[in-house]
Amino acid sequence: MKTFDNNGKLVAEINRFRTADGKSVTTSTQYNTYNGQPTNQNISVQQPNGKVTTTNVINGKLLP
């Protein structure tokens, strides 16, 4: 899901997918509205046993 501002510039996006081994990955990325560069990304990985790990990236992006 993508979020845009009133000028049509990308502000944020959320992506979800599953891996072959059953993990559920959710990424939430926020972008700078002036230059379009990623400012923050939160990555959550839920394993089939229920364990969740979270990674925060500032001023960059690890996953699509």
Side-chain angles (χ1 to χ4, degrees), residues 2 13-17 25-29 31 41-43 61-64:
K2 294 184 178 185
E13 67 178 329
I14 297 174
N15 293 307
R16 296 184 121 170
F17 60 91
V25 180
T26 303
T27 66
S28 174
T29 308
Y31 296 94
Q41 185 178 48
N42 180 297
I43 304 166
K61 184 174 177 180
L62 293 178
L63 296 175

Side-chain angles (χ1 to χ4, degrees), residues 2 9 14 20 31 38 49 51 53 57-58 63:
K2 294 184 178 185
K9 292 184 179 180
I14 297 174
Y31 296 94
N49 65 2
K51 182 180 177 185
T53 57
V57 179
I58 297 173
L63 296 175

Side-chain angles (χ1 to χ4, degrees), residues 37-49:
Q37 296 294 317
T39 59
N40 183 25
Q41 185 178 48
N42 180 297
I43 304 166
S44 296
V45 179
Q46 182 177 9
Q47 304 207 11
N49 65 2

Side-chain angles (χ1 to χ4, degrees), residues 18-24 47-48:
R18 286 202 180 267
T19 62
D21 58 355
K23 295 177 184 173
S24 176
Q47 304 207 11

